[in-house]
């Protein structure tokens, strides 16, 4: 720029100009003259207040003695007899009694002897067809509280070992869950296993013809 004037710096180096006047400095200074008269009003004290016994009035009457209270035997009523209380046994006592009774019955009743046998479930689309892999299988016996579950292997088979009564056998319910492509329902079959055989085979088919 001509004339030799300084060039203002560009942002971010630009600073705002400093004001010439500062608000915290006043041109006129306030002075206090200690010789000025104090304009604070004076307080005049009066005579102290005194209270005598004559100024107090006793409005409350003097208490009077009441006659003594006496109760005669004729005024007393005989107590009413209460009905006999029947105490019910608590829940804990009932539970302990029930469990003790059940334990005695179980001791008196012997469980029949059991043996092991095997059950193989085969799941196929049709007889002699390819096995279906990964289907859920559940084997349960509600009467004996026995239950086992799993999935079929690549050949569509699920094999499990189950306990049965040695003299009468035991009936099991088998539930197979079909996939969505085959309906998505649960098919149930029942079979009675006994200890005479070591292996039982139960087939499941979706269709009877190929």
């Amino acid at each position: 720029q001509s004339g030799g004037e300084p060039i203002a710096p560009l942002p971010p180096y630009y600073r705002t100009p400093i004001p010439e006047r500062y608000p915290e400095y006043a041109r006129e200074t306030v002075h206090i003259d200690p010789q000025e008269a104090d304009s604070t009003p004076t307080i005049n004290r009066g005579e102290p207040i005194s209270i005598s016994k004559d100024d107090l009035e006793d409005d409350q009457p003097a208490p009077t003695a009441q006659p003594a209270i006496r109760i005669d035997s004729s005024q007393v009523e005989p107590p009413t007899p209460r009905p006999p209380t029947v105490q019910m046994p608590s829940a804990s006592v009932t539970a302990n009694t029930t469990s003790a009774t059940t334990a005695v019955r179980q001791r008196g009743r012997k469980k029949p002897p059991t043996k092991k046998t095997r059950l193989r479930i085969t799941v196929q689309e049709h007889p002699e067809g390819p096995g279906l892999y990964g289907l859920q299988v559940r084997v349960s016996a509600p009467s004996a509280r026995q239950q086992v579950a799993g999935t079929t292997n690549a050949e569509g088979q699920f094999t499990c070992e189950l306990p049965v009564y040695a003299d009468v056998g035991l009936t099991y319910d088998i539930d197979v869950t079909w996939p969505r492509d085959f309906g998505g329902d649960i098919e149930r079959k029942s079979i009675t296993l006994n200890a005479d055989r070591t292996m039982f085979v139960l087939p499941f088919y979706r269709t009877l013809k190929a």
Side-chain angles (χ1 to χ4, degrees):
Q1 184 177 0
S2 60
E5 296 180 358
I7 301 174
L10 298 175
Y13 305 102
Y14 178 76
R15 296 181 180 178
T16 57
I18 300 175
E20 298 179 359
R21 297 179 181 180
Y22 297 93
E24 59 267 19
Y25 292 96
R27 293 184 177 181
E28 298 179 358
T29 305
V30 179
H31 296 278
I32 299 175
D33 189 2
Q35 301 298 329
E36 293 180 358
D38 189 4
S39 60
T40 304
T42 58
I43 300 175
N44 297 326
R45 295 184 178 180
E47 297 179 358
I49 301 174
S50 60
I51 300 175
S52 62
K53 294 183 178 180
D54 298 336
D55 298 335
L56 300 177
E57 296 181 358
D58 191 4
D59 297 336
Q60 298 181 356
T64 57
Q66 299 292 332
I69 300 175
R70 296 181 179 179
I71 299 176
D72 192 5
S73 59
S74 61
Q75 299 176 355
V76 178
E77 296 180 358
T80 304
R82 296 183 179 180
T85 304
V86 179
Q87 185 176 1
M88 299 299 293
S90 60
S92 60
V93 175
T94 305
N96 295 334
T97 305
T98 304
S99 59
T101 305
T102 305
V104 172
R105 290 178 180 176
Q106 290 179 354
R107 291 177 184 176
R109 182 187 305 172
K110 295 182 179 180
K111 293 183 179 180
T114 58
K115 292 185 178 181
K116 296 285 186 176
T117 187
R118 302 178 68 186
L119 174 64
R120 176 175 296 171
I121 295 98
T122 60
V123 184
Q124 299 172 336
E125 183 178 355
H126 53 83
E128 299 181 359
L132 300 178
Y133 171 73
L135 272 66
Q136 294 183 359
V137 179
R138 188 171 71 94
V139 181
S140 62
S143 59
R145 296 183 180 180
Q146 299 289 339
Q147 181 176 347
V148 65
T151 57
T152 57
N153 57 12
E155 288 77 19
Q157 298 179 359
F158 175 76
T159 306
C160 57
E161 190 177 64
L162 303 172
V164 296
Y165 298 127
D167 50 354
V168 295
L170 186 61
T171 301
Y172 282 88
D173 297 332
I174 296 87
D175 297 332
V176 174
T177 303
W178 291 95
R180 294 182 179 179
D181 298 340
F182 294 89
D185 57 334
I186 298 177
E187 184 179 357
R188 167 172 290 187
K189 291 183 179 181
S190 299
I191 184 173
T192 300
L193 308 180
N194 52 61
D196 296 339
R197 296 169 54 183
T198 58
M199 175 69 73
F200 291 83
V201 179
L202 182 65
F204 280 80
Y205 305 118
R206 185 81 293 187
T207 58
L208 298 178
K209 296 183 180 180

